[in-house]
């Protein structure tokens, strides 16, 4: 009898041990309850259907555990076109002390980003994009020293980008585009930072040469109000494969050495650059967009290896190099937009046939286009720039 009782007691203890291992930490349990109360499924979403707190929360949709701790929280149906969630992010999120990943799908989450997120010392991935998060980015996020990806794009954020964010030592992806951020770009110290996307904000000031690490491969600062030169900045960024500085108020010249980089896309349109472009080596970039600036001087023949070249709406002068004509007629150049400059000639026969796969626009220069080619509607109806403008520019 005593032997059977002993066996029963041992089995009971083993069962208690099993359930203790499977049971979620009470702090994490209460935090998940608070998060659930503050968020709701939008019509058509059924994400929270599995969140029944009479069962193990580690089995909930979007909740991933390691032992008795929540380590990853992905809120909302990740499938494309899903309605997402509404509500606010409860400050109890900061109680999930072992959390390494936090993401919320696009939806209608409003309110400020809780400062308690800074308590998540193991957080590596934070992505809450395409919602209605407002207020400032908490400077205390700089205390999350292991953070690698910060994506708060397409929200309603205001205020500045704190230097504390720039001091994150392991940051590799910073995506804050499509917000209402102001102030200057802080220096970034992480030597593993490969992507910065700050386009469509209201950032001002100049870009310090030391503010961007050479590890960058993707840099988009378009649609801001940045000023000053960029030559010393670009020379340092020798690993870029995407660069977009369009629609700012940048000045100065573009260093020739920047074109020696293997950049896949380069966009510098609608700025206020002064000076000419003199590449030092043959350009290997498939697409170069320098349109809507104030570049001047001659067009370097080294740019003729570009497949899609947009130099329109600048102040380029002189003749178009013969290498452009050769590559255009061989269909090596797909797009060559030179309209709205002060160019004086191009050595191409009026009987030449432009390949169907290629586009050439020459109108509104200081010459009569030797052949008529279709141009974008924005080029306007005028074929030649008024002589008075050409004379004034020569003067």
């Amino acid at each position: 009898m005593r032997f059977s009782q002993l066996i029963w007691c041992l089995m009971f203890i083993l069962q208690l041990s099993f359930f203790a291992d499977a049971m979620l930490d009470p702090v994490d349990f209460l935090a998940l309850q608070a998060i659930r109360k503050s968020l709701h499924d939008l019509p058509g979403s059924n994400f929270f259907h599995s969140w029944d707190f009479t069962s193990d929360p580690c089995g909930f949709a979007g909740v991933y555990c390691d032992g008795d701790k929540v380590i990853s929280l992905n809120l909302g149906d990740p499938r494309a076109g899903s309605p997402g969630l509404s509500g606010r992010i409860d400050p109890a999120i900061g109680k999930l002390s072992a959390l390494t990943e936090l993401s919320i799908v696009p939806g209608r989450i409003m309110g400020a980003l809780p400062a308690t997120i800074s308590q998540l010392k193991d957080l590596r991935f934070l992505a809450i994009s395409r919602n209605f998060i407002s207020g400032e980015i908490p400077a205390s996020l700089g205390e999350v020293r292991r953070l690698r990806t910060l994506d708060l794009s397409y929200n309603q954020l205001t205020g500045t980008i704190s230097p504390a964010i720039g001091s994150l030592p392991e940051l590799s992806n910073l995506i804050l585009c499509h917000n209402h951020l102001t102030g200057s770009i802080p220096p970034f110290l992480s030597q593993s930072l490969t992507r910065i996307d700050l386009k469509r904000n209201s950032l001002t000031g100049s870009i310090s040469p030391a503010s961007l690490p050479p590890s960058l491969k993707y840099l988009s600062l378009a649609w801001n109000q940045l000023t000053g030169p960029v030559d010393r900045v670009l020379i340092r960024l020798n690993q870029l494969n995407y660069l977009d500085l369009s629609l700012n108020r940048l000045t100065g010249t573009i260093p020739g050495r920047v074109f020696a980089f293997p950049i896949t896309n380069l966009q510098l349109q609608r700025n206020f650059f002064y000076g000419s472009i003199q590449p030092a080596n043959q350009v290997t970039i498939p697409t170069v967009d320098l349109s809507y600036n104030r570049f001047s001087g001659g067009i370097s023949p080294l740019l003729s290896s570009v497949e899609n070249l947009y130099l329109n709406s600048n102040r380029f002068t002189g003749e178009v190099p013969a290498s452009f004509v050769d590559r255009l007629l061989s269909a090596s150049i797909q797009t060559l937009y030179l309209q709205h400059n002060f160019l004086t000639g191009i050595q191409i026969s009026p009987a030449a046939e432009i390949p169907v796969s290629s586009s050439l626009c020459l109108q509104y220069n200081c010459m009569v286009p030797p052949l008529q080619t279709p141009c974008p509607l924005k080029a306007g109806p005028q074929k030649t720039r008024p002589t008075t403008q050409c004379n004034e520019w020569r003067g």
Side-chain angles (χ1 to χ4, degrees):
M1 185 67 178
R2 290 181 179 177
F3 180 74
S4 61
Q5 288 178 336
L6 179 62
I7 294 296
W8 185 88
C9 288
L10 287 173
M11 292 179 63
F12 181 72
I13 291 170
L14 288 173
Q15 286 179 334
L16 283 179
S17 176
F18 172 78
F19 285 116
D21 289 340
M23 189 178 298
L24 187 65
D25 184 293
V27 176
D28 286 28
F29 186 91
L30 293 174
L32 289 178
Q33 281 190 322
I35 293 167
R36 172 63 186 92
K37 289 179 181 178
S38 66
L39 297 175
H40 313 281
D41 280 306
L42 285 171
S45 174
N46 202 29
F47 174 76
F48 283 123
H49 177 72
S50 66
W51 282 49
D52 178 4
F53 284 92
T54 61
S55 60
D56 182 12
C58 292
F60 292 177
V63 178
Y64 302 90
C65 302
D66 184 8
D68 65 343
K69 303 294 291 182
V70 177
I71 60 170
S72 179
L73 191 60
N74 308 127
L75 298 173
D77 189 340
R79 291 176 295 182
S82 297
L85 308 174
S86 64
R88 297 173 183 268
I89 305 172
D90 195 279
I93 194 79
K95 298 294 184 180
L96 300 174
S97 58
L99 202 64
T100 62
E101 179 179 332
L102 172 60
S103 66
I104 301 179
V105 301
R108 300 190 64 83
I109 306 295
M110 299 184 179
L113 195 67
T116 54
I117 289 180
S118 62
Q119 299 172 14
L120 305 175
K121 304 304 182 185
D122 291 327
L123 193 66
R124 294 180 177 84
F125 184 89
L126 175 58
I128 309 174
S129 65
R130 297 182 184 274
N131 277 279
F132 293 84
I133 304 295
S134 58
E136 298 188 1
I137 302 173
S140 57
L141 273 181
E143 300 172 16
V144 187
R145 307 301 286 172
R146 303 184 70 179
L147 192 63
R148 296 176 184 173
T149 294
L150 177 60
D151 182 357
L152 301 175
S153 57
Y154 294 89
N155 279 291
Q156 305 292 325
L157 293 167
T158 56
T160 62
I161 304 173
S162 169
I165 303 296
S167 70
L168 291 168
E170 298 184 19
L171 191 65
S172 59
N173 296 284
L174 180 67
I175 309 171
L176 303 176
C177 58
H178 290 262
N179 279 287
H180 306 292
L181 299 171
T182 56
S184 59
I185 298 174
F188 293 96
L189 305 183
S190 172
Q191 295 305 306
S192 58
L193 187 58
T194 59
R195 182 186 182 98
I196 293 180
D197 190 347
L198 304 177
K199 66 177 173 283
R200 286 187 178 267
N201 280 286
S202 299
L203 299 172
T204 56
S206 59
I207 308 170
S208 170
S211 63
L212 303 176
S215 56
L216 276 179
K217 296 182 179 179
Y218 182 106
L219 176 62
S220 180
L221 304 176
W223 290 81
N224 280 286
Q225 300 170 29
L226 299 169
T227 56
V230 295
D231 52 346
R232 293 172 60 198
V233 178
L234 296 180
I235 287 175
R236 296 181 74 247
L237 305 180
N238 57 4
Q239 297 187 47
L240 283 176
N241 53 44
Y242 183 92
L243 174 64
D244 186 354
L245 303 179
S246 61
L247 291 145
N248 278 287
R249 301 173 183 176
L250 301 167
T251 59
T253 59
I254 301 297
R257 280 172 290 177
V258 71
F259 290 110
F261 303 161
I263 300 177
T264 303
N265 292 285
L266 174 65
Q267 298 182 11
L268 301 171
Q269 60 182 358
R270 289 184 186 268
N271 282 297
F272 295 91
F273 289 106
Y274 296 89
S276 59
I277 303 171
Q278 298 296 329
N281 299 293
Q282 190 74 16
V283 182
T284 58
I285 308 169
T287 299
V288 173
D289 189 344
L290 304 176
S291 59
Y292 295 96
N293 282 291
R294 296 185 180 183
F295 288 118
S296 59
I299 298 174
S300 171
L302 298 178
L303 285 168
S304 63
S305 62
V306 178
E307 292 180 8
N308 298 283
L309 183 61
Y310 303 87
L311 300 180
N312 50 292
S313 302
N314 277 286
R315 296 178 178 179
F316 289 113
T317 57
E319 288 202 359
V320 180
S323 56
F324 282 91
V325 177
D326 295 338
R327 288 183 57 81
L328 181 70
L329 296 179
S330 66
S332 298
I333 294 179
Q334 295 181 2
T335 306
L336 182 59
Y337 281 180
L338 302 175
Q339 67 271 21
H340 286 256
N341 278 287
F342 292 82
L343 298 170
T344 54
I346 180 172
Q347 298 300 318
I348 188 170
S349 169
E353 293 186 7
I354 305 298
V356 177
S357 61
S358 301
S359 298
L360 171 67
C361 185
L362 295 170
Q363 68 185 53
Y364 209 73
N365 276 285
C366 296
M367 62 176 175
V368 177
L371 68 170
Q372 300 301 316
T373 56
C375 286
L377 291 176
K378 288 184 178 180
Q382 290 181 278
K383 300 299 180 183
T384 304
R385 186 180 288 274
T387 304
T388 53
Q389 291 185 14
C390 295
N391 292 335
E392 289 174 3
W393 184 243
R394 289 194 188 97

